[in-house]
Amino acid sequence: MEPYKIKVVEPIAFTTPQERAEALSAAGYNLFNLPATLITIDLLTDSGTSAMSDRQWSGMMLGDESYAGSRNYFNLERTVRRITGYRHVIPTHQGRVAENLLFTTVLKPGDRVPNNIHFDTTRANVEHNLGVAVDCVVDEAYDVVADHPFKGNMDVAKLDRLIAEVGRERIPLVMLTITNNSGGGQPVSLGNARATSGWCHRHGIPLFFDACRFAENAYFCKQRDPECAQLSIEQIANAFFALGDGCTMSAKKDGLVNIGGFIATNDDALATRLSNMLILIEGFTTYGGLAGRDLEAIARGLEEVLDERYLAHRVGQVRRFGERLVAAGVPILLPVGGHAVYLDALRFLPRIPQPQFPAQALACALYLEGGIRGVEIGGLMFGKPNEATGAWTWPELEMVRLAVPRRVYTDAHLDYVADVCSRLLARRDTIHGLKIVSRAEVLPHFTARLAPVDEAG
Ligand code: P61
């Protein structure tokens, strides 16, 4: 059961099928363009959507809004140092700014950045700085039904091949995303982090964690890896971070807040360069684009997220949601990840070819059927037209992610979502593909407009 009780409630919206059809058409078949007031269950993201605790809210009243040296910064610094062991803690207003700072500082054009799988903002920040983002996850990650406890693991042999091909000078750092969001919220084992760290340090290459969901990753390790069974979540987190040189963090996930992030490192020279850049784009080093009260909420959220009872409920709720879908015959990525269930659109809608964006079509159908908003992680997000030929390359996975916000929905809400998915499966042959009407070059899925193929011709 939930290890908390509910003190504040927010009504959710109920709409008619006709209202939803009109809203979706006006939104160009892009769920990012829908007003949230027209959504019944919002599973677009687990990012910035957490319910904060009474302890966090009361901490916000203790916000010290001094331009420099806010006491809340020092609380955050102390907590991040305790969890990560990294000396320098540089606050940012969200994760992608931490990525921006890191990559504008360390990348040269043509550099390669390996990661297990880059999340879209990480990839976009690498590419924006003229680097090449290389995914080096184990092959099992691409097999949607392979039963592997740590599908987020890095394939160190792929790192060997990359370095043989491009040389050490072309790899300024390696990233490891815990848990691996684009690969289904799958964990990385401590042993794999150790192997990746060993590889990096043998070659004199720094290792950075993308730590957004570090506590959920640690919980999986405790459950699945005998090496971690007797350790606390904090000890597991300590063990991971000790293997790296720094981390980027979107506190909007395992920080249990609505806004915030940071970059932390033990590299003094790098920290100086990052801080100078921070002052240019975010603000002074003790607030980084956040209010003092936000810093306090993050400090407290990072403590709360280490609570094993909380994590058992959190990861258990997502798993139960996945199990209900499996029982209804809905094809999902297995095993169920930490923060979301991923519908496998290629198996859900086998008649829609990838150039007609089956995952986006499925996401739209879920909205039409039940007012549910998920997010496409497939061809719209990661597909790319070749500049010369116009031919597209498609990602291996074509999924709709149903991300579960932290401490927000009950199992009854998720039962409703499972029922809608099951109804949709029963009438899947009535769902049509989509085509693009307009699309931006960078992070196109946020703003693209689409139309049903049969209407657009
Ligand atoms: C999410 F539809 N994730 O999963 P920021 N690294 C990792 C993330 O998961 C992540 C960031 C860095 C989001 C929000 C989101 O197209 C989308 O604080 C592993 O969002 O800047 C964010 O952290 C960036 C949803 C982002 C999207 C981009 O839902």
Side-chain angles (χ1 to χ4, degrees):
M1 63 181 177
E2 285 80 358
Y4 47 81
K5 52 187 180 169
I6 296 164
K7 185 145 45 186
V8 176
V9 296
E10 177 186 338
I12 54 180
F14 293 93
T15 51
T16 64
Q18 185 172 345
E19 280 167 340
R20 295 196 289 276
E22 284 167 13
L24 190 63
S25 168
Y29 293 82
N30 184 338
L31 302 175
F32 281 99
N33 292 335
L34 285 175
T37 45
L38 295 179
I39 288 158
T40 304
I41 305 286
D42 202 348
L43 305 183
L44 180 75
T45 179
D46 64 322
S47 176
T49 51
S50 300
M52 291 207 298
S53 68
D54 52 358
R55 201 170 160 274
Q56 285 176 293
W57 280 110
S58 58
M60 292 197 65
M61 287 303 289
L62 301 175
D64 165 6
E65 304 307 338
S66 304
Y67 190 94
S70 158
R71 66 169 168 259
N72 311 112
Y73 170 74
F74 296 110
N75 291 345
L76 176 64
E77 183 187 56
R78 197 170 43 249
T79 307
V80 174
R81 281 182 177 167
R82 200 185 87 201
I83 295 172
T84 66
Y86 301 140
R87 272 192 307 284
H88 302 284
V89 179
I90 299 166
T92 60
H93 85 270
Q94 59 181 78
R96 69 197 69 181
V97 186
E99 294 165 354
N100 177 339
L101 287 169
L102 183 62
F103 295 126
T104 49
T105 307
V106 304
L107 273 199
K108 294 187 300 303
D111 279 352
R112 308 295 202 275
V113 180
N115 200 331
N116 38 1
I117 303 186
H118 289 265
F119 190 61
D120 65 347
T121 58
T122 327
R123 175 177 299 279
N125 270 298
V126 170
E127 290 174 356
H128 190 65
N129 286 290
L130 306 179
V132 182
V134 187
D135 294 337
C136 293
V137 74
V138 292
D139 288 341
E140 287 89 341
Y142 297 109
D143 179 344
V144 287
V145 292
D147 188 17
H148 183 298
F150 292 104
K151 270 181 163 178
N153 280 353
M154 186 79 93
D155 187 337
V156 177
K158 290 183 184 168
L159 296 178
D160 280 333
R161 287 204 286 279
L162 182 68
I163 204 168
E165 190 189 313
V166 302
R168 186 256 162 271
E169 302 68 37
R170 277 263 158 256
I171 307 179
L173 83 166
V174 171
M175 299 277 300
L176 193 56
T177 304
I178 53 174
T179 55
N180 182 30
N181 188 2
S182 305
Q186 302 292 321
V188 175
S189 72
L190 184 56
N192 183 255
R194 196 177 291 125
T196 306
S197 167
W199 186 92
C200 287
H201 296 140
R202 262 198 313 284
H203 293 287
I205 297 173
L207 172 64
F208 270 70
F209 291 101
D210 177 337
C212 301
R213 300 177 179 86
F214 76 95
E216 289 166 8
N217 197 85
Y219 182 77
F220 278 119
C221 291
K222 190 170 166 80
Q223 295 299 304
R224 296 181 182 176
D225 181 354
E227 182 187 354
C228 297
Q230 301 308 321
L231 302 179
S232 69
I233 298 299
E234 184 170 344
Q235 287 170 326
I236 299 170
N238 290 161
F240 266 85
F241 289 118
L243 295 167
D245 300 277
C247 70
T248 56
M249 171 81 187
S250 168
K252 298 171 73 172
K253 288 84 170 170
D254 274 352
L256 297 175
V257 290
N258 306 119
I259 197 73
F262 58 82
I263 179 163
T265 179
N266 274 333
D267 181 332
D268 298 338
L270 176 66
T272 303
R273 293 171 71 200
L274 294 171
S275 299
N276 291 339
M277 194 64 179
L278 181 83
I279 293 171
L280 184 68
I281 63 171
E282 282 275 84
F284 188 61
T285 51
T286 59
Y287 74 88
L290 292 164
R293 55 181 171 272
D294 295 324
L295 300 170
E296 187 62 35
I298 303 170
R300 293 178 181 218
L302 287 172
E303 283 167 4
E304 289 176 14
V305 82
L306 301 174
D307 175 9
E308 211 177 309
R309 243 184 241 284
Y310 155 77
L311 284 167
H313 175 262
R314 158 74 180 156
V315 173
Q317 185 183 44
V318 177
R319 190 193 59 242
R320 285 190 299 280
F321 177 33
E323 285 167 358
R324 258 170 266 143
L325 289 165
V326 169
V330 176
I332 65 170
L333 188 147
L334 291 169
V336 175
H339 66 296
V341 168
Y342 293 66
L343 306 182
D344 180 359
L346 293 178
R347 279 187 295 148
F348 200 115
L349 297 175
R351 283 151 51 127
I352 301 184
Q354 232 178 340
Q356 292 184 11
F357 304 100
Q360 183 66 10
L362 179 55
C364 288
L366 275 169
Y367 177 67
L368 290 174
E369 181 76 17
I372 296 157
R373 175 157 72 171
V375 72
E376 191 254 20
I377 300 194
L380 186 60
M381 190 180 271
F382 291 124
K384 264 198 176 2
N386 179 296
E387 272 172 32
T389 64
W392 283 62
T393 50
W394 300 104
E396 299 204 35
L397 299 178
E398 185 73 29
M399 300 182 293
V400 176
R401 185 188 70 174
L402 302 175
V404 183
R406 295 172 181 77
R407 306 192 290 208
V408 170
Y409 292 118
T410 65
D411 285 4
H413 291 116
L414 299 178
D415 282 346
Y416 166 77
V417 177
D419 284 349
V420 171
C421 290
S422 150
R423 284 209 302 268
L424 217 47
L425 186 67
R427 64 162 189 84
R428 60 175 154 181
D429 290 345
T430 61
I431 299 171
H432 294 288
L434 296 167
K435 68 180 268 181
I436 286 186
V437 175
S438 65
R439 175 185 179 277
E441 281 301 315
V442 178
L443 297 173
H445 59 288
F446 281 120
T447 53
R449 296 187 71 82
L450 300 99
V453 276
D454 52 350
E455 276 176 33

Coordinates of all heavy atoms in Angstrom, one line a residue, residues 86-133:
Y86 N 30.4 13.8 -4.5 CA 31.0 14.8 -5.4 C 31.1 16.1 -4.6 O 30.1 16.6 -4.1 CB 30.3 14.9 -6.7 CG 30.2 13.6 -7.5 CD1 29.0 13.3 -8.1 CD2 31.3 12.8 -7.5 CE1 28.9 12.1 -8.8 CE2 31.2 11.6 -8.2 CZ 30.0 11.2 -8.9 OH 30.0 10.0 -9.6
R87 N 32.3 16.8 -4.7 CA 32.5 18.0 -3.9 C 31.8 19.2 -4.5 O 31.2 20.0 -3.8 CB 34.0 18.4 -4.0 CG 34.9 17.8 -3.0 CD 36.3 18.5 -3.0 NE 37.0 18.5 -4.3 CZ 37.6 17.4 -4.9 NH1 37.6 16.3 -4.3 NH2 38.2 17.5 -6.0
H88 N 31.8 19.3 -5.8 CA 31.2 20.5 -6.4 C 29.8 20.3 -6.9 O 29.5 19.3 -7.6 CB 32.0 20.9 -7.7 CG 33.5 21.1 -7.4 ND1 33.9 22.3 -6.8 CD2 34.6 20.4 -7.6 CE1 35.2 22.2 -6.6 NE2 35.6 21.1 -7.1
V89 N 28.9 21.1 -6.4 CA 27.4 20.9 -6.6 C 26.9 22.2 -7.3 O 26.9 23.2 -6.6 CB 26.7 20.6 -5.3 CG1 25.2 20.4 -5.6 CG2 27.2 19.3 -4.7
I90 N 26.6 22.1 -8.6 CA 26.2 23.2 -9.3 C 24.7 23.1 -9.7 O 24.3 22.3 -10.5 CB 27.1 23.3 -10.6 CG1 28.6 23.4 -10.1 CG2 26.7 24.5 -11.5 CD1 29.6 23.2 -11.2
P91 N 23.9 23.9 -9.1 CA 22.4 23.8 -9.4 C 22.1 24.4 -10.7 O 22.7 25.3 -11.2 CB 21.8 24.7 -8.3 CG 22.8 25.6 -7.8 CD 24.2 25.0 -8.1
T92 N 21.1 23.7 -11.3 CA 20.5 24.2 -12.6 C 19.0 24.1 -12.5 O 18.5 23.4 -11.6 CB 21.0 23.3 -13.8 OG1 20.5 22.0 -13.6 CG2 22.5 23.3 -13.9
H93 N 18.3 24.7 -13.4 CA 16.9 24.7 -13.3 C 16.2 23.4 -13.8 O 15.1 23.1 -13.4 CB 16.2 26.0 -13.8 CG 15.9 25.9 -15.2 ND1 16.7 26.4 -16.2 CD2 14.8 25.5 -15.9 CE1 16.2 26.2 -17.4 NE2 15.0 25.6 -17.2
Q94 N 16.9 22.7 -14.6 CA 16.5 21.3 -14.9 C 17.7 20.5 -15.6 O 18.7 21.1 -15.8 CB 15.2 21.2 -15.7 CG 15.2 21.9 -17.1 CD 13.8 21.7 -17.7 OE1 12.9 22.4 -17.3 NE2 13.6 20.8 -18.6
G95 N 17.4 19.2 -15.8 CA 18.5 18.4 -16.2 C 19.2 18.8 -17.5 O 20.4 18.7 -17.6
R96 N 18.4 19.2 -18.5 CA 19.1 19.5 -19.8 C 20.0 20.7 -19.7 O 20.9 20.8 -20.6 CB 18.0 19.7 -20.9 CG 17.2 20.9 -20.7 CD 15.9 20.8 -21.6 NE 15.0 19.9 -21.0 CZ 13.8 19.5 -21.5 NH1 13.4 20.1 -22.7 NH2 13.0 18.7 -21.0
V97 N 19.9 21.5 -18.7 CA 20.9 22.6 -18.6 C 22.2 22.1 -18.1 O 23.3 22.5 -18.5 CB 20.3 23.7 -17.7 CG1 21.3 24.9 -17.7 CG2 18.9 24.2 -18.2
A98 N 22.1 21.1 -17.2 CA 23.3 20.4 -16.7 C 24.0 19.8 -17.9 O 25.2 19.9 -18.1 CB 22.9 19.3 -15.7
E99 N 23.2 19.2 -18.8 CA 23.8 18.6 -20.0 C 24.4 19.6 -20.9 O 25.5 19.5 -21.4 CB 22.7 17.8 -20.8 CG 22.1 16.6 -20.1 CD 20.8 16.1 -20.7 OE1 20.3 16.8 -21.6 OE2 20.3 15.1 -20.2
N100 N 23.7 20.7 -21.1 CA 24.2 21.8 -21.9 C 25.5 22.3 -21.4 O 26.5 22.5 -22.1 CB 23.1 22.9 -21.9 CG 23.5 24.2 -22.7 OD1 24.7 24.4 -22.9 ND2 22.5 25.0 -23.1
L101 N 25.6 22.6 -20.1 CA 26.8 23.0 -19.5 C 27.9 22.1 -19.7 O 29.0 22.4 -20.1 CB 26.6 23.2 -17.9 CG 25.8 24.3 -17.4 CD1 25.5 24.2 -16.0 CD2 26.5 25.7 -17.7
L102 N 27.7 20.8 -19.5 CA 28.7 19.8 -19.6 C 29.2 19.7 -21.1 O 30.4 19.7 -21.3 CB 28.1 18.4 -19.2 CG 29.1 17.2 -19.2 CD1 30.3 17.5 -18.2 CD2 28.4 15.9 -18.8
F103 N 28.3 19.6 -22.0 CA 28.7 19.4 -23.4 C 29.3 20.6 -24.0 O 30.2 20.5 -24.9 CB 27.6 18.7 -24.2 CG 27.2 17.4 -23.7 CD1 25.9 17.0 -23.4 CD2 28.2 16.4 -23.5 CE1 25.6 15.8 -22.9 CE2 27.9 15.1 -23.0 CZ 26.6 14.8 -22.7
T104 N 28.8 21.8 -23.7 CA 29.4 23.0 -24.3 C 30.8 23.2 -23.7 O 31.7 23.7 -24.4 CB 28.6 24.3 -24.0 OG1 28.3 24.4 -22.6 CG2 27.3 24.4 -24.7
T105 N 31.1 22.6 -22.5 CA 32.4 22.8 -21.9 C 33.4 21.7 -22.4 O 34.5 22.1 -22.6 CB 32.2 22.7 -20.4 OG1 31.2 23.6 -20.0 CG2 33.5 23.0 -19.7
V106 N 32.9 20.5 -22.6 CA 34.0 19.4 -22.8 C 34.0 19.0 -24.3 O 35.0 18.3 -24.7 CB 33.8 18.2 -21.9 CG1 33.8 18.6 -20.5 CG2 32.5 17.4 -22.2
L107 N 33.0 19.3 -25.1 CA 33.0 18.7 -26.5 C 33.7 19.5 -27.5 O 33.6 20.7 -27.5 CB 31.5 18.5 -26.9 CG 30.7 17.3 -26.6 CD1 29.5 17.1 -27.5 CD2 31.6 16.0 -26.6
K108 N 34.4 18.8 -28.4 CA 34.9 19.4 -29.6 C 34.1 18.8 -30.8 O 33.7 17.6 -30.7 CB 36.4 19.2 -29.8 CG 37.2 19.8 -28.7 CD 38.7 19.7 -29.0 CE 39.2 18.3 -29.0 NZ 39.0 17.5 -27.8
P109 N 34.0 19.5 -31.9 CA 33.3 19.0 -33.1 C 33.8 17.6 -33.5 O 35.1 17.5 -33.5 CB 33.5 20.0 -34.2 CG 33.7 21.3 -33.4 CD 34.4 20.9 -32.2
G110 N 32.9 16.7 -33.7 CA 33.4 15.3 -34.2 C 33.6 14.4 -33.0 O 33.8 13.2 -33.2
D111 N 33.6 14.9 -31.8 CA 33.8 14.0 -30.6 C 32.7 13.0 -30.5 O 31.6 13.3 -30.9 CB 33.9 14.8 -29.3 CG 35.3 15.4 -29.1 OD1 36.2 15.1 -29.8 OD2 35.4 16.2 -28.1
R112 N 33.0 11.8 -30.0 CA 32.0 10.8 -29.7 C 31.7 10.7 -28.2 O 32.6 10.8 -27.4 CB 32.5 9.4 -30.2 CG 33.1 9.3 -31.6 CD 32.0 9.6 -32.6 NE 32.3 9.1 -33.9 CZ 33.0 9.7 -34.8 NH1 33.5 10.9 -34.6 NH2 33.3 9.1 -36.0
V113 N 30.4 10.6 -27.9 CA 30.0 10.5 -26.5 C 29.2 9.2 -26.4 O 28.0 9.1 -26.8 CB 29.1 11.6 -26.0 CG1 28.7 11.4 -24.6 CG2 29.8 12.9 -26.2
P114 N 29.8 8.1 -25.8 CA 29.1 6.9 -25.6 C 28.2 7.0 -24.4 O 28.5 7.7 -23.4 CB 30.2 5.8 -25.4 CG 31.5 6.5 -25.5 CD 31.2 8.0 -25.5
N115 N 27.1 6.3 -24.4 CA 26.1 6.2 -23.3 C 25.5 4.9 -23.4 O 25.6 4.2 -24.5 CB 25.1 7.3 -23.5 CG 24.3 7.7 -22.3 OD1 24.1 6.9 -21.4 ND2 23.9 9.0 -22.2
N116 N 24.8 4.3 -22.4 CA 24.1 3.1 -22.6 C 23.0 3.4 -23.7 O 23.1 2.9 -24.8 CB 23.5 2.4 -21.4 CG 23.0 3.4 -20.3 OD1 23.0 4.6 -20.5 ND2 22.5 2.9 -19.2
I117 N 22.0 4.2 -23.4 CA 21.3 4.9 -24.5 C 21.1 6.3 -24.1 O 20.6 6.6 -23.0 CB 19.9 4.2 -24.8 CG1 20.0 2.7 -25.1 CG2 19.2 4.9 -25.9 CD1 18.7 2.1 -25.5
H118 N 21.4 7.2 -25.0 CA 21.2 8.7 -24.7 C 19.7 8.9 -24.7 O 18.9 8.5 -25.6 CB 21.8 9.5 -25.9 CG 23.2 9.5 -25.9 ND1 24.0 10.5 -25.4 CD2 24.1 8.7 -26.5 CE1 25.3 10.3 -25.6 NE2 25.4 9.1 -26.2
F119 N 19.3 9.7 -23.7 CA 17.9 10.2 -23.7 C 17.9 11.3 -24.7 O 18.9 11.9 -25.1 CB 17.5 10.7 -22.3 CG 16.0 11.0 -22.3 CD1 15.1 10.0 -22.6 CD2 15.5 12.3 -22.1 CE1 13.7 10.3 -22.6 CE2 14.2 12.6 -22.1 CZ 13.3 11.6 -22.4
D120 N 16.7 11.7 -25.2 CA 16.6 12.7 -26.3 C 17.3 14.0 -26.1 O 18.0 14.5 -26.9 CB 15.2 12.8 -26.9 CG 14.2 13.5 -25.9 OD1 14.6 13.6 -24.7 OD2 13.1 13.9 -26.3
T121 N 17.1 14.5 -24.8 CA 17.8 15.9 -24.5 C 19.3 15.7 -24.5 O 20.0 16.6 -24.9 CB 17.3 16.4 -23.2 OG1 17.6 15.5 -22.1 CG2 15.8 16.7 -23.2
T122 N 19.8 14.6 -24.0 CA 21.2 14.3 -23.9 C 21.8 14.2 -25.4 O 22.8 14.9 -25.7 CB 21.5 13.0 -23.2 OG1 20.5 12.8 -22.2 CG2 22.9 13.0 -22.6
R123 N 21.1 13.4 -26.2 CA 21.5 13.3 -27.6 C 21.5 14.6 -28.3 O 22.5 15.0 -29.0 CB 20.6 12.3 -28.3 CG 20.8 12.2 -29.8 CD 19.8 11.1 -30.4 NE 20.0 9.8 -29.8 CZ 21.0 9.0 -30.1 NH1 21.8 9.3 -31.1 NH2 21.2 7.8 -29.5
A124 N 20.4 15.4 -28.1 CA 20.3 16.7 -28.7 C 21.4 17.7 -28.3 O 22.0 18.4 -29.1 CB 18.9 17.3 -28.5
N125 N 21.7 17.6 -27.0 CA 22.8 18.5 -26.5 C 24.2 18.1 -27.1 O 25.0 19.0 -27.4 CB 22.9 18.5 -25.0 CG 22.0 19.6 -24.4 OD1 22.2 20.8 -24.7 ND2 20.9 19.3 -23.7
V126 N 24.4 16.8 -27.2 CA 25.7 16.3 -27.8 C 25.7 16.8 -29.3 O 26.7 17.4 -29.8 CB 25.8 14.8 -27.8 CG1 26.9 14.3 -28.6 CG2 25.9 14.3 -26.3
E127 N 24.6 16.6 -30.0 CA 24.6 16.9 -31.4 C 24.6 18.4 -31.7 O 25.3 18.9 -32.6 CB 23.4 16.2 -32.1 CG 23.5 14.7 -32.1 CD 22.3 14.0 -32.7 OE1 21.3 14.6 -32.9 OE2 22.4 12.7 -32.8
H128 N 24.0 19.2 -30.8 CA 24.0 20.6 -30.9 C 25.4 21.2 -30.8 O 25.8 22.2 -31.4 CB 23.1 21.2 -29.9 CG 22.8 22.7 -30.1 ND1 22.1 23.2 -31.1 CD2 23.2 23.8 -29.3 CE1 22.1 24.5 -31.1 NE2 22.7 24.9 -30.0
N129 N 26.3 20.4 -30.1 CA 27.7 20.8 -29.9 C 28.6 20.1 -30.9 O 29.8 20.0 -30.7 CB 28.1 20.6 -28.5 CG 27.5 21.6 -27.6 OD1 27.9 22.8 -27.6 ND2 26.6 21.2 -26.7
L130 N 27.9 19.6 -32.0 CA 28.6 18.9 -33.1 C 29.4 17.7 -32.7 O 30.3 17.3 -33.4 CB 29.6 19.9 -33.8 CG 28.9 21.2 -34.3 CD1 29.9 22.2 -35.0 CD2 27.7 21.0 -35.2
G131 N 28.9 17.0 -31.6 CA 29.4 15.7 -31.3 C 28.5 14.6 -31.9 O 27.5 14.9 -32.5
V132 N 29.0 13.4 -31.7 CA 28.2 12.2 -32.1 C 27.8 11.4 -30.9 O 28.7 11.0 -30.2 CB 29.0 11.4 -33.1 CG1 28.2 10.2 -33.7 CG2 29.5 12.2 -34.3
A133 N 26.5 11.2 -30.7 CA 26.0 10.4 -29.6 C 26.0 9.0 -30.0 O 25.3 8.6 -31.0 CB 24.6 10.9 -29.2

